[in-house]
Amino acid sequence: MKSQRTLRDAAIGEPVKVTKLLGTGPVKRRIMDMGITKGVEIIIRKVAPLGDPIELTVRGYELSIRKSEAENILID
């Protein structure tokens, strides 16, 4: 069985599809409130010089998230 990739593992410019959200309660709710849900396509736009935050395009808008949040988003 191959290990699941997280959004943190995606390369800049790579379009990815969300397969599952990890985390519970407020963490998962916050991710979903930002428009990141199962099946949505995300493109990594930029990564800050020190690696945090990560800038994404989700549902046609720009969004920045922390690496710790990106680890809770499994991708295809």
Side-chain angles (χ1 to χ4, degrees):
M1 182 178 142
K2 71 174 192 162
S3 67
Q4 284 277 312
R5 285 186 353 151
T6 66
L7 191 57
R8 186 174 177 176
D9 303 323
I12 294 173
E14 178 185 5
V16 297
K17 190 177 244 181
V18 176
T19 56
K20 186 176 181 182
L21 297 176
L22 304 176
T24 57
V27 174
K28 188 172 182 177
R29 169 61 36 204
R30 178 171 146 68
I31 292 169
M32 291 174 72
D33 286 347
M34 291 186 283
I36 300 172
T37 56
K38 185 177 176 181
V40 77
E41 188 172 282
I42 297 175
I43 298 172
I44 311 296
R45 288 288 170 213
K46 297 180 209 164
V47 177
L50 298 176
D52 212 5
I54 301 167
E55 187 176 300
L56 318 168
T57 298
V58 182
R59 300 180 189 261
Y61 68 92
E62 301 295 312
L63 173 69
S64 293
I65 65 170
R66 297 182 193 104
K67 281 197 281 189
S68 59
E69 294 168 326
E71 289 174 345
N72 288 320
I73 303 167
L74 297 182
I75 59 169
D76 190 351

